[in-house]
Amino acid sequence: MHGFSRAARAGVAVPAALSAAFACMMIAGSGSAGAGTAGAGTAGAGTAGADRRAPAWCKPGGTLSARAMPHKIKIADCDLRGRLVRGANGLTATVPADGTSLVAHSLRTSGAAGLRIGVDDRAGEITITTRGGRVPEGRPRTSRAPLDPCRDGTHRTEPSTWPKGGTVEWRYHPGTTGLPMSGVAKGISNMVLANTDCTDERRFTPPPNVGERYSGISSNGPNVTPEASCGSRDRVNTFGWKSLTGAESDVLAATCIWFRGTSTVETDMALQEHAKSWWTTGTCTAGSYSVEAVATHEAGHVLGLGHVEGADHSNLTMTPAVASCDNGPATLGKGDYDGLIALYGGR
């Protein structure tokens, strides 16, 4: 591999403050009673709800802030379905109105963000959890070398997976970059095949019990908006390029996962083609980012892996940041592999 190999990255010191920077923010509290006047509907409001007032944070129109609302919201108080909600680091997503739930991720040069939206129509509740952080610049005196990725078994999983033994079919959107599909395709296969620098065979065995299949070109592109937010799903898994002109300047990619219960039903992955330089082969030009490394990280989200926070774990593929000219994340560490086996078992 070009750039920083997995072995080379193992000896690089990373700020210990990273674990504090990427801290989980659970928004807790209870909402005040009131009829939902904003959103896709007023499910569960009933006659008695006609005289209630919506909570102050439930404003009609525009984007709602997850910071301002309780962790759990009664649909009768504020129907968020179809509304846009903003979480940590500016990550936004449209609350599904089709009975699915949603996990949104964004990968940045200086950190990452996650937004989980659980919709329970039967209980009449929506649950919102947001997490995010920035990687601090510079190296404090307390910095230390991260753990050896071939021994670090740390992993974090999301609430849904594809069926064990199943195949994730996906379409590719080429965008306007002119780059070959190979970088994205390799990233996806790296996860499915458990490619690694940690063994002589260059793979962990057994591979996870899940497959992938390329199904052709998509003309529509991923269901990710120019602001790098998750839109409404179209029942097609689309991976590729998008001009995220409204996103913050450090955003490299965004991935959205829709699910019912514990079963993933669709996922879309968008790599930023606006104002970013990308590296596929040969010598990396300063300031460019590895397509394969970023696609491998995002493929981890596709299969149900979450970010692993902390300086100790910054050499794993699912660490929440990637540096320019670093293709180390293109090969899995032990924790990345252990997470896949926890989700799918081996084949």
Side-chain angles (χ1 to χ4, degrees):
M1 303 290 284
H2 305 286
F4 304 136
S5 69
R6 174 68 67 191
R9 295 173 83 237
V12 178
V14 175
L18 174 59
S19 63
F22 198 87
C24 175
M25 297 182 295
M26 293 294 293
I27 302 173
S30 58
S32 57
T37 57
T42 55
T47 305
D51 296 329
R52 301 181 198 169
R53 290 187 178 182
W57 52 263
C58 185
K59 300 176 181 179
T63 302
L64 298 175
S65 172
R67 293 177 180 269
M69 64 180 68
H71 169 58
K72 186 170 290 186
I73 300 105
K74 288 288 186 182
I75 294 177
D77 294 340
C78 183
D79 193 345
L80 297 177
R81 293 171 297 183
R83 297 292 304 275
L84 197 64
V85 172
R86 183 182 304 276
N89 288 4
L91 178 61
T92 57
T94 300
V95 179
D98 62 355
T100 60
S101 296
L102 169 70
V103 173
H105 289 284
S106 67
L107 178 67
R108 299 160 179 258
T109 61
S110 60
L115 179 62
R116 183 186 298 178
I117 302 174
V119 180
D120 188 337
D121 288 333
R122 178 174 295 183
E125 293 179 339
I126 295 173
T127 304
I128 296 179
T129 305
T130 180
R131 52 194 304 133
R134 301 283 188 177
V135 177
E137 298 293 335
R139 182 177 297 172
R141 293 181 181 180
T142 56
S143 64
R144 63 176 180 269
L147 296 173
D148 179 355
C150 299
R151 297 178 180 271
D152 184 3
T154 305
H155 58 273
R156 177 176 168 270
T157 58
E158 294 292 1
S160 71
T161 66
W162 299 95
K164 292 181 180 180
T167 299
V168 181
E169 296 194 5
W170 58 278
R171 292 182 176 273
Y172 175 70
H173 184 66
T176 61
T177 63
L179 294 173
M181 185 181 73
S182 58
V184 173
K186 287 179 181 178
I188 299 165
S189 65
N190 285 339
M191 271 289 162
V192 169
L193 298 177
N195 290 340
T196 184
D197 291 340
C198 296
T199 69
D200 292 338
E201 296 78 16
R202 308 288 292 178
R203 291 183 182 179
F204 285 115
T205 54
N209 191 18
V210 64
E212 58 88 12
R213 181 186 301 121
Y214 167 64
S215 297
I217 294 293
S218 167
S219 58
N220 296 328
N223 288 314
V224 178
T225 73
E227 292 71 35
S229 69
C230 299
S232 299
R233 70 188 191 96
D234 64 358
R235 295 171 174 78
V236 178
N237 305 313
T238 305
F239 308 151
W241 300 92
K242 187 119 182 188
S243 187
L244 307 176
T245 54
E248 295 184 11
S249 60
D250 61 346
V251 171
L252 291 172
T255 294
C256 307
I257 304 102
W258 290 267
F259 60 97
R260 282 193 177 91
T262 60
S263 299
T264 302
V265 295
E266 182 184 333
T267 181
D268 288 79
M269 175 203 306
L271 278 67
Q272 171 67 290
E273 66 178 10
H274 172 70
K276 286 287 182 290
S277 297
W278 292 92
W279 165 45
T280 55
T281 59
T283 302
C284 178
T285 303
S288 298
Y289 295 89
S290 167
V291 175
E292 185 179 350
V294 171
T296 303
H297 175 100
E298 296 305 304
H301 292 317
V302 167
L303 294 182
L305 296 180
H307 290 130
V308 289
E309 303 93 6
D312 287 353
H313 315 302
S314 58
N315 277 337
L316 294 174
T317 296
M318 297 312 296
T319 192
V322 63
S324 63
C325 294
D326 179 9
N327 70 347
T331 54
L332 277 58
K334 184 177 185 299
D336 308 307
Y337 172 71
D338 287 353
L340 292 174
I341 294 301
L343 291 172
Y344 297 100
R347 53 176 165 151

